[in-house]
Amino acid sequence: MPQYYILFLFFLIFFSSSSHASVQDFCVADLKGPDGPAGYPCKSPANVTVSDFVFSGLAKGGNTTNIIKAAVTPAFVAQFPGVNGLGLSMARLDLAPGGVIPFHTHPGASEILVVTRGHITAGFVSSASTVYLETLKKGDVMVFPQGLLHFQVNAAKIHSSAFVSFSSASPGLQILDFALFANNLPSALVGQTTFLDLAQIKKLKGVLGGTG
Amino acid sequence: MPQYYILFLFFLIFFSSSSHASVQDFCVADLKGPDGPAGYPCKSPANVTVSDFVFSGLAKGGNTTNIIKAAVTPAFVAQFPGVNGLGLSMARLDLAPGGVIPFHTHPGASEILVVTRGHITAGFVSSASTVYLETLKKGDVMVFPQGLLHFQVNAAKIHSSAFVSFSSASPGLQILDFALFANNLPSALVGQTTFLDLAQIKKLKGVLGGTG
Amino acid sequence: MPQYYILFLFFLIFFSSSSHASVQDFCVADLKGPDGPAGYPCKSPANVTVSDFVFSGLAKGGNTTNIIKAAVTPAFVAQFPGVNGLGLSMARLDLAPGGVIPFHTHPGASEILVVTRGHITAGFVSSASTVYLETLKKGDVMVFPQGLLHFQVNAAKIHSSAFVSFSSASPGLQILDFALFANNLPSALVGQTTFLDLAQIKKLKGVLGGTG
Amino acid sequence: MPQYYILFLFFLIFFSSSSHASVQDFCVADLKGPDGPAGYPCKSPANVTVSDFVFSGLAKGGNTTNIIKAAVTPAFVAQFPGVNGLGLSMARLDLAPGGVIPFHTHPGASEILVVTRGHITAGFVSSASTVYLETLKKGDVMVFPQGLLHFQVNAAKIHSSAFVSFSSASPGLQILDFALFANNLPSALVGQTTFLDLAQIKKLKGVLGGTG
Amino acid sequence: MPQYYILFLFFLIFFSSSSHASVQDFCVADLKGPDGPAGYPCKSPANVTVSDFVFSGLAKGGNTTNIIKAAVTPAFVAQFPGVNGLGLSMARLDLAPGGVIPFHTHPGASEILVVTRGHITAGFVSSASTVYLETLKKGDVMVFPQGLLHFQVNAAKIHSSAFVSFSSASPGLQILDFALFANNLPSALVGQTTFLDLAQIKKLKGVLGGTG
Amino acid sequence: MPQYYILFLFFLIFFSSSSHASVQDFCVADLKGPDGPAGYPCKSPANVTVSDFVFSGLAKGGNTTNIIKAAVTPAFVAQFPGVNGLGLSMARLDLAPGGVIPFHTHPGASEILVVTRGHITAGFVSSASTVYLETLKKGDVMVFPQGLLHFQVNAAKIHSSAFVSFSSASPGLQILDFALFANNLPSALVGQTTFLDLAQIKKLKGVLGGTG
């Protein structure tokens, strides 16, 4: 079998000369490095282990003992560095009875949702202001095109949950109420640009910690 | 100069054999064709003229005698087929005194704005709910990252105007009030997913022609 | 409220002039149209309903009464036209006790998997021939970088299942055994290019319906 | 209202855990960092202010008291770090009477131009050597597909100006005369590869500071 | 072996249900279909054969008995439909003694060249007007970044040839002299936008068949 | 000629103010910098010379005195930093009589091959398990779509060679036998996921240095 031994040596040589080139198989995020438009710099492949590609943070639902009776647990690149540069990420939704994930957008990704427990009423609105609304059962899948306003509401009397996946490692998340009411944007300006009544604005600013 | 004549012939032959390959210099939209994920099919290059690359619809401002005292005039691929596949488009904003372009997003593009008349107060809100707000003078430029909620308000006592450009031939436009109130999304569901009071919702649904 | 009525009219006019531009919010596949490098042509938005964005085919697991005791149920663009152009899709894995999803690649997408029942041992191999192998519990997530060989094996005594998402509406699926043994590639050539023994090749060609 | 207070706390917690993930809303260039194929590394979001998204350098035209009687003022990523990673940028053209922006290309972007003062004759040439030429009035828009040779000439007796936008934060700019004559490319080689007469080449090399 | 037979059946079923999804492995151009921004529509996979992926048109060099003593033979999507959507294409360069491929750009692709016979002097010019010039021997490789002006000259006393590959199925080809002189762009305008003397322009227009 | 001198000065000023913006003409890899999802950071343009864009490592074939009687010599970004960010790279194949490049994939790129000496039998297999197989003569070109299994075999009695180009600067290379047999993946698991007999697996693990 000396022939085989030569084969073995040949490939060792081949791989050592091309080893850098294979780095781009994956690019586990080095979260200490500076972010860039395409994601984080890569952790050295020599230090990458299978644990970089596995994430256990979605095994349990988030705490839903809050006013929206719901929780979103992200597995974006900041939580799960293995997705860096791969064009996808995940999150878990938990909705207690009466729970709501309020209107929000993901500025940088489309989303696909699969119900794993209970029933969820989900909807999105297009640029043409058409509503696409459905009550999903366990195992049903729904897709939300990039950047459009959408929401999820528990439609069951029990705790409902879902997994969602995104077409980006860093999809972003802009919750409408927080964008409007949880900052220092002057109430008058919010009124001018939303047609909401000032009393309504001030009430929600109070709730969400906004000022102005 | 017979030598030159051969050169001429050579190139004629060369170009005729490669003529198809050069089509992708541009791809003027054939708006009758079915749209696709990357845009419209290309008009035959033989029928393309300079008028396909020129658009005069932004020379005059839109009609601002309406309640928002403002107008948006688009030069997206649907109005200006020459931008198909080129990754950019434009629009013109006109704001009469007191005019407002209310909160909206472009799901598929970033935006860059330059003020050409008057003063405009513009702002956007990030996923972290931080407000980036500035009053822009004539010639000032501001950029709005993809998918984030933003608005423009006339900050002058005179008519103000601006040109905006987008990083897509088809940026989309989702106006917040229309997404929430100008359709048949049930008021109770709007309330659940926005925390707005029912009275407020019904009032704006009335104004914007929404039902439910 | 005549003012508001004008607002309403204004927006109607605005939307009708820009209605084409908003098509690219989404591009539900017209599967009868010719496919292109970026996906299928779009179904007319006028005919799109919420059912285009909802898929119920993953609610039940596939039939696992076969030799691999496993099933893959896809929700790619061909089954779920709503994902066309959105850069994502899904599938469901079902593994009876002893079930195996054999070595395969997705030539056009990365994959993210979440276990929804049982335990699954999953692994992928990098270009440097390093193995990344883990036994995943319910709720664990694992990511498989684009184009790399990977597999999933039931690690529980009960039926296990998982949802997987892809970074493309059309990820492709190349199962190693089928690529090598389920076609007419001459056995001698398979031997030359895999170093497998001829007897082994002929045995698997027999099983998988290959010839030559 | 203690319930609301819990909502507030909930979201604070939620946002603090996902704060990294929202970075990719934008990526203001840290110009001191090393450039990469997708742009510059991101400035820390904590240090980003609205001034990063606003640029006032286009408010005034460039100095046109030069031989081309024209000026190009760029707002590319190097001047305007806020556009980093957003796929767009701008510039301002100023043309005194008789002014000319000579033949040039942008290797990395398409361009869209809007005339803001005077008249401009603009043209581009396709791979098939067809000329697309138009004299544009104030408010007219023209698009120049990526990488093609184009020019702009003042067609008015007054100062003319325009804003141009690009489909890249770093479009590049290759001015034909400078590529041919403003460097040390040997005159004989320029002659061989352009068919220009040697006297012509040496004359323009002299003017533009070229050698060889 | 009945078990194996079941495996066989299982996979048949699996593949027939997912067969559409695998189309995007490749997308051989149907050149009769309308081109789009991402390329041509796909030929039906049922009609695709290996001959769609093989091209023999580069086996022989083009005719170099012309004034530039050179020939470019393209294998772009228009000649070689198999590259549609794959992001690459090729061409062959042949240069008789004294042969020249004059200054040109590819608006839509970078290029990589390998010399297969003789010696070739190749150069490109950056946006900063720096010249990158080298005389290449057989087997040497040189890369030309997207959109930049470049040329190739035979540096041997024998026929030289090279293969070039592009990062697009449709790279485009704009030959400088043809863009300037082989069309109806008025000579005065060429002069204004290139600083060339009118006599020089008229001479080359005469040679290349230009008018005006 | 003082006028011309002013032109010269004008452009100097123009270029110095926009010099950063033109960096993105190219981005020669600084291989010491951390890799990222889009490639390596750019070497400072001031230090870039023509030698960064030229690679001589493909001029000679690799050593084929090994068991596969073949060699692959890469010019990926790790060997040839000039291709960083340009979306292409190359390699050279050498096959002695009886030589074989065994089944492999490039997870991140499509490939185009041109035969430069001898005859090569090449094939790839689609997701639908169809074989596309051809014996190529000198000058013949064949394309291999991204991520699909393919191989090359010498079909001549003499040494054959080819140049291959890729649609990525870092295409990756996963050789099937090495992925399966040259690591510590337990033999039983290889058997379960490939249907290969244990004896076959252990034999090839022995040859290729695998364990387990």
Side-chain angles (χ1 to χ4, degrees), chain D residues 103-107 172-176 179, chain E residues 105 125-127 147-149:
Chain D
F103 258 115
H104 63 282
T105 63
H106 305 286
L173 169 59
Q174 180 162 53
I175 299 176
L176 177 55
Chain E
T105 62
V125 185
S126 72
S127 284
L148 296 180
L149 280 163

Side-chain angles (χ1 to χ4, degrees), chain F residues 21-137:
Chain F
S22 59
V23 167
Q24 287 278 28
D25 275 356
F26 47 73
C27 176
V28 174
D30 173 2
L31 295 178
K32 293 186 301 293
D35 204 2
Y40 287 90
C42 314
K43 188 174 170 179
S44 165
N47 300 329
V48 169
T49 67
V50 69
S51 65
D52 289 301
F53 300 107
V54 175
F55 184 70
S56 295
L58 302 191
K60 279 207 267 183
N63 186 346
T64 60
T65 55
N66 55 50
I67 196 179
I68 61 166
K69 297 175 182 161
V72 179
T73 312
F76 298 173
V77 67
Q79 293 83 33
F80 185 13
V83 298
N84 190 48
L86 297 185
L88 45 65
S89 60
M90 285 193 73
R92 173 183 172 141
L93 309 185
D94 285 274
L95 301 112
V100 174
I101 312 289
F103 258 114
H104 63 283
T105 62
H106 306 287
S110 293
E111 172 183 338
I112 194 164
L113 174 152
V114 59
V115 178
T116 50
R117 188 166 191 268
H119 290 186
I120 292 176
T121 297
F124 72 88
V125 186
S126 73
S127 285
S129 299
T130 306
V131 179
Y132 298 89
L133 181 70
E134 187 70 287
T135 296
L136 307 165
K137 295 185 298 292

Side-chain angles (χ1 to χ4, degrees), chain E residues 85-150:
Chain E
L86 298 184
L88 44 65
S89 60
M90 284 192 73
R92 173 182 174 144
L93 308 186
D94 285 272
L95 301 112
V100 174
I101 311 289
F103 259 114
H104 62 282
T105 62
H106 305 285
S110 293
E111 172 182 338
I112 194 165
L113 173 152
V114 58
V115 178
T116 50
R117 188 164 191 269
H119 290 186
I120 292 176
T121 296
F124 71 86
V125 185
S126 72
S127 284
S129 299
T130 305
V131 178
Y132 298 89
L133 181 70
E134 187 70 287
T135 296
L136 307 165
K137 294 186 298 292
K138 188 180 169 185
D140 282 353
V141 172
M142 185 167 174
V143 71
F144 305 89
Q146 176 166 341
L148 296 180
L149 280 163
H150 60 288

Side-chain angles (χ1 to χ4, degrees), chain E residues 25 53 55-56 127 141 143 165, chain F residues 25 53 55 127 140-141 143 165:
Chain E
D25 276 356
F53 300 108
F55 184 71
S56 296
S127 284
V141 172
V143 71
S165 301
Chain F
D25 275 356
F53 300 107
F55 184 70
S127 285
D140 282 353
V141 172
V143 70
S165 302

